[in-house]
Amino acid sequence: MHLKLNYFSKIALDIVLSFLALALAMLLRFDLQVPLNYWSVFPLTAVIFAFFNIFSGVITSNFKSISAFAGAIDLTRALLSVFLTGLVLFVLKLTDILDFSGSIIVIYLFIMFTFTVAVRFAPKICLFINDSIKKRVLHSGGGTLVIGDGESIMSVIRRLREDKNSGNVTAILTEEQKYWGASLLGAKVLGGYDLIISAITKYNINEVVYSLQKGSGSLKELYKICQQNDVSFKVFQQFEEVNDYDGMPRHIIRDVSIEDLLGRNEIRLEKDWIDGFIKNKTILVTGGAGSIGSQICRQCLDFKCKKLIIFDINENGLFEMDVDLSKSNPGGDFVTVLGSVRDKNRLKSVFDAYAPDVVFHAAAHKHVPMIEGNPCEALKNNIFGTLNVINQCNDSKVKKLIVISTDKAVNPANIMGASKRVTEMLVQVFGRESYTEMAAVRFGNVLGSNGSVIPLFKKQIEQGGPVTVTHRDVERYFMTIAEAVQLVLQAAALATQGEIFVFDMGKLVKIYDLACELIRLSGLEPERDIEIKFVGLRPGEKLFEELRLDKEQVDITRHEKIFVCKPLDMSPAVLRKHLDELERIIDSEDAGRVAEALFDLVPSAYRDSCKLSAYKKPGLSRAFNSR
């Protein structure tokens, strides 16, 4: 609970209190019979007293906050402010600048201190009374159970008390045994998480608030227990941003999301590493209007890059990025540039104009069905567009280039995966002889990105189903957009020459289980309220994805969650020969020959499981559109 007063409102309040305190001091000093000569100088004297009172308050930070959590520091600030005010007033009296009774000054200081403390602690007193009333009606209205670690629990309780609509916090569960049996802000710590069912019953709990701890395996289990007991389950999330007025962290209490239920650790961002190559550097992001590219752009602005060039062929996406960043980063130096990585002349003009220090290459065609139906266009963009970027970075003496790849590049089973595997080979082979330090970053599916399965499932649920899943046993690695971008930034900090970085993605997630969780999060029951329909694996689709090739040697890096695959031993001349042949065939627009040449370059099981003769006519086939 916070009194909704801004800084200047608090000062105005103290001015009024100062005038009142002086009037009361005069009345007390003269037993309510104040001489007229004192009243005649009262206005000027009151202004002087108020001025120095405000001056002292500013010096001692006495106007920081008026909240329900005032404590010893607020009491100390009030005392120091009154002491400093008294010191100045007595100096003025001793030097005859202020001709006023010393006893009145002393009484004024006591009254002003009382007023100041009363105002600072009024919300806390009101909260205490409110909590007492809530405790009396606990069993009739239900209570709130807070779960988390000791430090975060305090923040949760404070946040709940700010919300008038929240229930009374009646019990706490934590795995930190040192808190067991103690009382935190008036709520008893019962013990560990295993007591949740008994706590719900004994304390008539109707709401559980869990302090979000990234990667905690407890969240999913606790959430299911709450579902089974018809108890509301919410998540407390705290951010790093700081409120300009009172210095308190921004935080929210929200409903649980599918990202929370994945039960895996998010990557830990080593900001010191990133500062060295982002801060005060000119950054260019290809595909900057896409899901990954746009987040890279935002992170680069957050890390105070010197200038950001957002390069993309998507006109609408660029326009939206320009509008969004103009609002969220009004002081950021960025420019949106329309162009394609397939256009060598456009790339050269942009690199010549802005001379980027670091390039993040996120421009690519990524939708498997669409690429299967249009392989020639996909390879022109994914492979030869990437080659254009690599060559231009080298010609322009760019310091670093980071190429975005995917787990579908490992033992590729489709054109998209094979094209991304070739881009990795470009980085590995040409990176050894390039001026530019380059690397590729390989990760799994990104939750919430454009065209990902989550938005599709949500739309199907909103429409009443069915939710379509290709196969009951299909599994994928998942990560959030924030994790994906952090991996890209960390890889850029670690990159030296031609590496492929892979991320510890945790466990594979069954798409069927993901669909069931999304249905439950919508307040519905799978198979009962929403049908789940299995439509069969699409051509080129695997039951599960992999993160590295069997022959790839993987080493650890400075970061515990990031690993590096050493470059393969392939001659640049051999790779160029393959690329020349592939480019020649692409120009013929013969999709069948293009697919055959691609899989000569990138051997995989795809050749054995799919008829290459299927690539005859451009367009998206019915087989892919039947989901």
Side-chain angles (χ1 to χ4, degrees):
M1 160 177 185
H2 282 271
L3 237 60
K4 299 300 182 181
L5 296 176
N6 62 30
Y7 193 82
F8 295 104
S9 296
K10 296 168 190 174
I11 291 178
L13 176 61
D14 269 30
I15 290 174
V16 173
L17 293 177
S18 178
F19 273 64
L20 182 59
L22 180 58
L24 288 174
M26 291 168 55
L27 290 169
L28 290 174
R29 167 63 180 81
F30 296 107
D31 295 326
L32 305 181
Q33 302 297 321
V34 182
L36 290 177
N37 62 312
Y38 273 89
W39 284 123
S40 63
V41 296
F42 175 79
L44 178 61
T45 307
V47 169
I48 295 173
F49 276 45
F51 174 80
F52 287 110
N53 180 67
I54 299 306
F55 173 79
S56 301
V58 172
I59 295 296
T60 59
S61 301
N62 197 29
F63 301 109
K64 276 285 183 179
S65 65
I66 298 176
S67 76
F69 313 108
I73 188 169
D74 299 278
L75 190 64
T76 303
R77 286 171 178 166
L79 186 61
L80 286 175
S81 176
V82 171
F83 174 78
L84 184 57
T85 302
L87 185 63
V88 173
L89 292 177
F90 275 106
V91 168
L92 293 177
K93 176 174 174 54
L94 291 174
T95 55
D96 292 329
I97 296 175
L98 180 65
D99 185 15
F100 214 68
S101 168
S103 58
I104 293 179
I105 295 177
V106 173
I107 297 172
Y108 163 82
L109 294 174
F110 274 110
I111 295 175
M112 197 61 213
F113 176 73
T114 303
F115 280 170
T116 302
V117 172
V119 169
R120 283 357 177 226
F121 283 80
K124 189 166 188 175
I125 296 169
C126 292
L127 180 62
F128 176 79
I129 296 171
N130 186 49
D131 282 352
S132 298
I133 296 172
K134 280 186 175 182
K135 287 178 182 179
R136 293 177 185 176
V137 297
L138 168 63
H139 294 289
S140 62
T144 298
L145 173 67
V146 176
I147 301 178
D149 62 77
E151 184 176 346
S152 67
I153 284 172
M154 308 284 275
S155 298
V156 176
I157 296 175
R158 292 186 179 107
R159 178 64 182 85
L160 287 169
R161 286 178 173 172
E162 291 173 2
D163 186 355
K164 296 178 181 179
N165 298 319
S166 294
N168 182 49
V169 178
T170 55
I172 297 170
L173 296 180
T174 179
E175 292 296 286
E176 297 182 68
Q177 296 186 20
K178 63 181 180 180
Y179 292 107
W180 291 1
S183 178
L184 297 179
L185 296 179
K188 186 176 180 181
V189 182
L190 305 179
Y193 296 171
D194 57 317
L195 299 178
I196 181 171
I197 296 178
S198 63
I200 289 173
T201 304
K202 182 178 179 180
Y203 289 88
N204 193 26
I205 298 299
N206 58 15
E207 179 186 57
V208 169
V209 178
Y210 178 81
S211 177
L212 184 62
Q213 301 159 60
K214 295 300 182 184
S216 171
S218 304
L219 187 147
K220 189 171 183 178
E221 181 181 347
L222 295 170
Y223 171 69
K224 286 186 175 180
I225 291 173
C226 288
Q227 276 193 320
Q228 293 165 1
N229 288 272
D230 196 26
V231 171
S232 170
F233 187 91
K234 295 187 179 295
V235 169
F236 173 84
Q237 186 170 4
Q238 190 160 306
F239 304 95
E240 292 183 359
E241 292 91 353
V242 175
N243 187 297
D244 292 333
Y245 287 108
D246 54 18
M248 295 187 68
R250 292 175 180 167
H251 36 236
I252 59 171
I253 293 177
R254 58 171 176 79
D255 293 328
V256 69
S257 69
I258 191 64
E259 291 85 352
D260 301 325
L261 297 176
L262 286 178
R264 50 184 298 273
N265 292 318
E266 286 197 9
I267 194 168
R268 171 177 48 84
L269 191 62
E270 298 288 354
K271 295 183 179 180
D272 291 342
W273 301 359
I274 298 171
D275 264 343
F277 71 92
I278 293 293
K279 192 173 183 179
N280 297 324
K281 299 291 196 308
T282 299
I283 310 295
L284 186 146
V285 182
T286 71
S291 302
I292 299 297
S294 62
Q295 292 300 319
I296 293 174
C297 291
R298 291 182 175 88
Q299 289 281 353
C300 288
L301 288 174
D302 288 343
F303 278 101
K304 309 299 181 185
C305 64
K306 179 181 177 182
K307 190 176 189 67
L308 174 66
I309 300 96
I310 307 170
F311 185 86
D312 206 300
I313 192 62
N314 182 353
E315 177 196 6
N316 290 334
L318 278 179
F319 176 78
E320 291 172 3
M321 279 291 290
D322 190 277
V323 172
D324 181 44
L325 292 180
S326 296
K327 292 180 179 178
S328 60
N329 291 274
D333 187 358
F334 66 90
V335 60
T336 52
V337 179
L338 187 64
S340 170
V341 294
R342 291 165 56 172
D343 188 337
K344 295 180 183 178
N345 292 332
R346 182 58 171 159
L347 277 176
K348 184 178 186 305
S349 67
V350 172
F351 275 66
D352 289 346
Y354 297 105
D357 301 298
V358 180
V359 173
F360 293 99
H361 178 47
H365 295 325
K366 67 175 185 176
H367 296 292
V368 172
M370 187 65 68
I371 290 177
E372 291 291 300
N374 302 274
C376 295
E377 289 302 300
L379 300 194
K380 289 176 187 177
N381 191 76
N382 290 7
I383 294 178
F384 293 99
T386 300
L387 184 60
N388 291 341
V389 172
I390 288 175
N391 290 335
Q392 190 58 57
C393 283
N394 195 42
D395 292 345
S396 299
K397 303 298 182 184
V398 172
K399 179 62 177 173
K400 284 198 176 188
L401 166 65
I402 303 299
V403 176
I404 308 302
S405 186
T406 169
D407 56 0
K408 291 178 176 59
V410 180
N411 296 319
N414 48 59
I415 296 292
M416 185 273 193
S419 71
K420 296 302 284 184
R421 176 60 192 137
V422 174
T423 64
E424 292 182 350
M425 295 166 66
L426 298 178
V427 169
Q428 288 185 307
V429 175
F430 296 144
R432 296 198 299 266
E433 58 182 28
S434 173
Y435 169 87
T436 303
E437 296 176 352
M438 61 183 71
V441 183
R442 181 192 294 165
F443 47 77
N445 294 272
V446 178
L447 289 169
S449 63
N450 296 331
S452 69
V453 71
I454 303 298
L456 173 62
F457 284 169
K458 287 181 177 179
K459 184 176 181 180
Q460 291 175 337
I461 293 168
E462 289 172 1
Q463 294 173 345
V467 171
T468 55
V469 177
T470 56
H471 193 284
R472 182 178 287 272
D473 296 324
V474 70
E475 296 178 312
R476 294 291 182 265
Y477 290 107
F478 283 100
M479 68 193 319
T480 65
I481 291 179
E483 288 178 288
V485 171
Q486 289 171 10
L487 173 61
V488 171
L489 297 179
Q490 294 287 189
L494 296 169
T496 55
Q497 213 70 24
E499 303 97 336
I500 295 176
F501 291 98
V502 295
F503 180 42
D504 178 1
M505 295 283 297
K507 297 179 180 180
L508 284 161
V509 177
K510 281 192 175 184
I511 301 299
Y512 173 75
D513 293 342
L514 195 65
C516 290
E517 291 294 355
L518 278 170
I519 293 171
R520 292 191 185 100
L521 284 174
S522 301
L524 303 170
E525 189 62 31
E527 306 293 3
R528 187 190 69 189
D529 301 315
I530 298 289
E531 177 191 359
I532 297 180
K533 183 178 179 181
F534 298 101
V535 297
L537 290 173
R538 299 170 297 182
E541 186 174 22
K542 297 190 290 186
L543 276 178
F544 62 91
E545 300 290 358
E546 305 155 276
L547 288 174
R548 67 183 182 91
L549 298 165
D550 292 337
K551 59 184 177 180
E552 280 183 321
Q553 184 179 348
V554 178
D555 288 338
I556 61 173
T557 67
R558 291 163 53 191
H559 196 286
E560 60 185 359
K561 295 294 182 181
I562 302 178
F563 302 88
V564 61
C565 301
K566 290 188 175 180
L568 299 179
D569 186 16
M570 181 183 234
S571 164
V574 171
L575 181 56
R576 286 194 182 93
K577 182 179 179 181
H578 277 288
L579 292 172
D580 290 342
E581 176 66 13
L582 186 59
E583 189 172 27
R584 184 181 65 80
I585 297 173
I586 286 175
D587 288 339
S588 72
E589 292 291 336
D590 188 331
R593 291 179 62 202
V594 166
E596 188 170 358
L598 177 63
F599 287 101
D600 280 339
L601 179 56
V602 184
S604 76
Y606 187 74
R607 176 185 291 277
D608 300 324
S609 62
C610 182
K611 294 180 180 179
L612 296 178
S613 59
Y615 298 100
K616 291 182 178 179
K617 296 181 180 179
L620 186 62
S621 70
R622 283 187 175 183
F624 287 110
N625 208 22
S626 61
R627 183 175 179 127

